[in-house]
Amino acid sequence: MKQLAVLGILAVLIVLGVKCAPGQHDEGGHNGSHHLLEQLKYISVDSLNYEFSRFDQVDKEKLVQIHQLVEGAEQFLIPDRMAEMKSYPCSNCHSKSLEALQAGKAPGEKKSHWDIEIVHAKTVTMQCTTCHDPKNFNLLHSLTGAPIEFNHSYELCGQCHSTQQKDWLGGAHGKQVGGWAPPRVSQTCTGCHNPHKPAFEKRLPARLNTEWLK
Amino acid sequence: MLFDLFFKTRKPVEEDLPQASDGCGSGNCGCKKTPEPTTAEPDGYDMKLGKTMNRRAAFRQMTAGLLAGAGMVQASCSATSTGDKREEGQLKWEEYFKKNYRLMTDEEKSKTVERLERLYEINTGKTINVSTNGAVENVLYGYAFNISKCQGYMDCVNACVKENNQDRSSQMQYIRIHEMENGQLNFDDADDNYFHEVPAEGHFYLGTQCYHCENPPCVKVCPVGATWKEDDGIVVIDYDWCIGCRYCMAACPYDGRRFNWQTPEVPEEEVNHTQHYLGNRLRSKGVMEKCTFCIQRSRNGKNPACVEACPTGARIFGNILDPNSEIRWVLENKKVFRLKEDLGTEPKFWYYMD
Ligand code: SF4
Ligand code: SF4
């Protein structure tokens, strides 16, 4: 009698054990939302030797390396903006500091760059000299006055837009340049956003699907 | 004309099926997964007509083959036809009897490509370049779409149509951009045919296209094995093997496939001449097509045309097996979701927000 009871309990336990064993729920990809992502964690790729790189699509000479080091990426390159800017260096026109320039202006005389409208935060927060160095127009500067080159303006933007900067360094924000293979080449902030008016503008879509209207 | 009709509507016989394991009438048919390199490969004639089969099957095939061939034979044998016409007939004859792409040897692949390139040259005087590049090792392509970044500009759609030689007259498009009200994700109320300034107040935009599912239902239903998933995860179609039954279109839960109800029209000056056999080469009437992650570009390290055209950087593409790729960072660090995840189709196309 006693033996039978023990056997019975054992049998029940075995059946339960089999039913509840971990890993038995997995029925070929139907176990929720992260199956492929789960698998990715365990796939290790030993060699990634592509026959191509982003340098096939973009000229290496027109790129510069960013200052931050990104984990995993040996290189993180952005377009060389200073080489593209038409009237750089700014000191070609503006040889004096802002103070001296303003002092020398006749009453009512037009300011330089009067046509630039700033739609970027409120004026109590930002003005021209928040980003531009009033003493040296060839440079930008940080909130504490440290010089920043035009090529590395992301250091300036990242002071406020830190989440965007994190996404950009990781790869979720900012347009990929030159393809998908290494090395990392991305647009920098000012490649897509006008720093004086950073929001994307409204416009008509690129096409109208007339055939679908019938 | 007659030829064209038969060319497009021919039904592959059982022996053509790549999955059919017991359909082999003789050792000479094309159903072996691995072609024998030692013996001379049978040509189209041997594959179709030079094998043992019962009389009824033989008659059925011969009638179909003869009818279809009549046009080609006429073109290739007629004493009056010009040299080009003769050559065209000959090429079409050989094209008609080619195998499913997956069964072709490298040599057969390069031969069909040569024929396709030559046929285009005869017909237009222009040259095309059709690639048969295979999957790059250790690559599984994945895609991420940032729904907080997309502004609904549709530059991606234009770039895709241009890159992939889609039919201009029916305005075929692989990508649809759905305008949705903030706070909802409802395709019934979404507008994918808007024409007003974008982004519209209180709306967001979500793009759909083929998701290249890891577990693609469209592939399972194809009765002739004309669509499959490549090693790099790209789901492709052999346009010359598709019989146009549209089962795959019905099976796709994501509206990923497009059908050619008419002969696609692409003005010659707009044709993208850099093509891939499984990608953007010109299709004919009655066959299925869809996004191929721009296989002709992605297998050379380039981004798909939509990624390159997007002015907002809302589209991220790359190798999800590379732990240092941008796409992998998105998958590991952003809250990503896919559509109809409960179906178990495992799309390799994720959505995320800033
Ligand atoms: S999205 Fe549709 S067409 Fe594309 S692989 Fe998945 S099921 Fe097939
Ligand atoms: S329409 Fe789709 S299912 Fe039918 S043959 Fe073509 S690829 Fe296969």
Side-chain angles (χ1 to χ4, degrees):
Chain A
M1 211 43 225
K2 220 178 179 184
Q3 273 178 336
L4 252 179
V6 170
L7 266 180
I9 290 168
L10 259 179
V12 168
L13 279 179
I14 288 170
V15 168
L16 279 178
V18 167
K19 274 227 148 164
C20 306
Q24 296 290 316
H25 300 286
D26 185 356
E27 282 177 59
H30 291 264
N31 65 338
S33 54
H34 297 297
H35 193 251
L36 190 54
L37 293 188
E38 277 303 313
Q39 282 180 341
L40 277 183
K41 287 186 193 151
Y42 305 105
I43 299 173
S44 65
V45 175
D46 15 285
S47 67
L48 287 171
N49 290 320
Y50 306 126
E51 278 169 20
F52 38 73
S53 83
R54 292 192 199 184
F55 295 145
D56 301 347
Q57 317 296 330
V58 278
D59 186 353
K60 224 183 194 165
E61 303 298 312
K62 292 188 174 156
L63 301 172
V64 289
Q65 166 74 31
I66 65 164
H67 289 151
Q68 270 115 319
L69 270 181
V70 180
E71 202 192 322
E74 280 159 35
Q75 281 178 302
F76 188 127
L77 301 145
I78 54 172
D80 182 355
R81 189 168 169 80
M82 273 144 78
E84 300 284 305
M85 286 161 66
K86 282 198 204 84
S87 23
Y88 190 84
C90 309
S91 52
N92 281 351
C93 302
H94 309 293
S95 52
K96 297 182 209 152
S97 74
L98 183 65
E99 225 172 22
L101 269 178
Q102 281 175 335
K105 279 247 179 325
E109 196 187 330
K110 261 191 177 158
K111 291 178 185 166
S112 313
H113 303 295
W114 72 91
D115 52 335
I116 291 179
E117 189 198 356
I118 301 180
V119 192
H120 190 167
K122 292 185 180 136
T123 41
V124 289
T125 315
M126 280 180 87
Q127 53 171 344
C128 311
T129 52
T130 312
C131 304
H132 292 275
D133 186 342
K135 298 210 178 64
N136 181 353
F137 293 125
N138 292 337
L139 288 172
L140 302 165
H141 66 168
S142 76
L143 292 173
T144 54
I148 294 174
E149 282 187 345
F150 276 92
N151 268 346
H152 301 282
S153 54
Y154 56 88
E155 291 180 328
L156 197 125
C157 309
Q159 297 176 110
C160 299
H161 305 286
S162 54
T163 36
Q164 281 87 346
Q165 186 170 54
K166 188 169 159 253
D167 278 353
W168 176 67
L169 290 170
H173 186 122
K175 196 175 154 76
Q176 288 172 298
V177 175
W180 56 266
R184 283 284 303 274
V185 185
S186 262
Q187 271 301 353
T188 183
C189 316
T190 47
C192 302
H193 301 277
N194 174 354
H196 302 126
K197 212 178 179 182
F200 279 102
E201 303 209 356
K202 276 196 179 199
R203 66 162 164 91
L204 284 176
R207 67 184 299 141
L208 168 63
N209 299 316
T210 50
E211 186 68 24
W212 301 4
L213 294 178
K214 281 181 202 160
Chain B
M1 242 0 260
L2 185 71
F3 154 74
D4 267 332
L5 193 69
F6 277 101
F7 185 72
K8 265 52 161 192
T9 57
R10 87 194 145 117
K11 303 272 186 293
V13 290
E14 202 180 3
E15 282 83 350
D16 294 332
L17 290 176
Q19 319 97 313
S21 52
D22 52 355
C24 262
S26 73
N28 237 1
C29 70
C31 68
K32 287 207 168 51
K33 280 242 149 109
T34 44
E36 317 129 288
T38 43
T39 57
E41 275 295 314
D43 65 8
Y45 181 88
D46 282 337
M47 283 171 58
K48 287 279 171 182
L49 302 173
K51 60 187 167 191
T52 52
M53 57 171 78
N54 66 33
R55 260 164 41 104
R56 190 193 292 204
F59 273 125
R60 208 172 49 218
Q61 283 203 22
M62 280 166 72
T63 326
L66 282 177
L67 270 173
M72 290 178 277
V73 172
Q74 200 182 8
S76 55
C77 302
S78 163
T80 54
S81 60
T82 64
D84 273 359
K85 269 267 163 300
R86 275 181 66 107
E87 192 188 349
E88 189 184 348
Q90 175 68 29
L91 290 172
K92 281 186 172 178
W93 167 264
E94 285 164 22
E95 271 294 282
Y96 178 76
F97 286 117
K98 72 181 173 186
K99 294 177 188 168
N100 181 309
Y101 183 75
R102 273 190 296 177
L103 300 176
M104 287 186 199
T105 60
D106 286 347
E107 199 197 334
E108 284 168 327
K109 282 180 188 171
S110 65
K111 280 211 173 123
T112 175
V113 159
E114 257 170 48
R115 287 195 294 266
L116 291 170
E117 290 174 349
R118 178 71 188 130
L119 277 169
Y120 193 80
E121 201 182 345
I122 292 174
N123 285 321
T124 64
K126 301 275 160 52
T127 49
I128 50 170
N129 192 332
V130 183
S131 156
T132 55
N133 272 356
V136 183
E137 223 186 316
N138 288 329
V139 171
L140 192 63
Y141 293 110
Y143 205 117
F145 186 102
N146 186 343
I147 53 173
S148 12
K149 278 281 160 294
C150 178
Q151 309 282 307
Y153 293 152
M154 290 214 226
D155 289 323
C156 51
V157 179
N158 274 1
C160 173
V161 168
K162 217 170 133 206
E163 170 70 29
N164 290 298
N165 297 322
Q166 284 152 49
D167 180 25
R168 304 296 200 267
S169 62
S170 69
Q171 296 195 339
M172 166 150 351
Q173 290 157 25
Y174 299 162
I175 303 172
R176 305 212 196 289
I177 304 289
H178 307 262
E179 185 179 83
M180 297 191 189
E181 242 173 80
N182 281 349
Q184 320 195 353
L185 212 152
N186 181 348
F187 283 89
D188 291 337
D189 299 335
D191 183 3
D192 57 7
N193 198 22
Y194 52 84
F195 197 70
H196 46 72
E197 289 215 329
V198 286
E201 213 47 62
H203 287 78
F204 73 99
Y205 297 84
L206 184 145
T208 60
Q209 57 206 71
C210 169
Y211 294 153
H212 299 273
C213 307
E214 259 306 275
N215 188 15
C218 56
V219 166
K220 283 186 205 151
V221 297
C222 180
V224 294
T227 182
W228 65 88
K229 192 180 73 187
E230 289 268 292
D231 285 344
D232 50 11
I234 302 183
V235 175
V236 293
I237 301 166
D238 182 344
Y239 309 117
D240 291 331
W241 210 257
C242 171
I243 54 169
C245 67
R246 295 184 286 123
Y247 284 8
C248 54
M249 201 178 196
C252 171
Y254 303 110
D255 181 30
R257 298 202 161 220
R258 308 282 179 266
F259 187 66
N260 285 290
W261 292 97
Q262 58 191 41
T263 305
E265 284 169 25
V266 188
E268 211 297 317
E269 64 278 10
E270 289 177 28
V271 170
N272 178 0
H273 291 153
T274 309
Q275 304 176 358
H276 193 286
Y277 193 92
L278 301 171
N280 60 344
R281 76 184 165 104
L282 296 164
R283 279 78 63 182
S284 47
K285 178 181 173 176
V287 304
M288 196 56 73
E289 62 176 284
K290 63 172 194 65
C291 158
T292 63
F293 277 166
C294 283
I295 198 165
Q296 66 280 356
R297 299 172 58 91
S298 49
R299 282 191 176 169
N300 293 323
K302 293 188 194 172
N303 273 327
C306 48
V307 177
E308 196 160 287
C310 178
T312 70
R315 293 167 174 272
I316 308 284
F317 181 77
N319 179 8
I320 59 175
L321 299 184
D322 176 359
N324 297 323
S325 62
E326 288 110 311
I327 178 85
R328 194 58 186 269
W329 193 89
V330 172
L331 298 184
E332 282 168 9
N333 293 281
K334 305 301 286 182
K335 285 208 174 69
V336 292
F337 70 92
R338 297 174 291 182
L339 297 182
K340 302 185 184 173
E341 289 192 278
D342 48 328
L343 295 179
T345 46
E346 297 286 342
K348 293 193 287 296
F349 195 107
W350 288 267
Y351 295 98
Y352 70 103
M353 284 166 261
D354 270 350

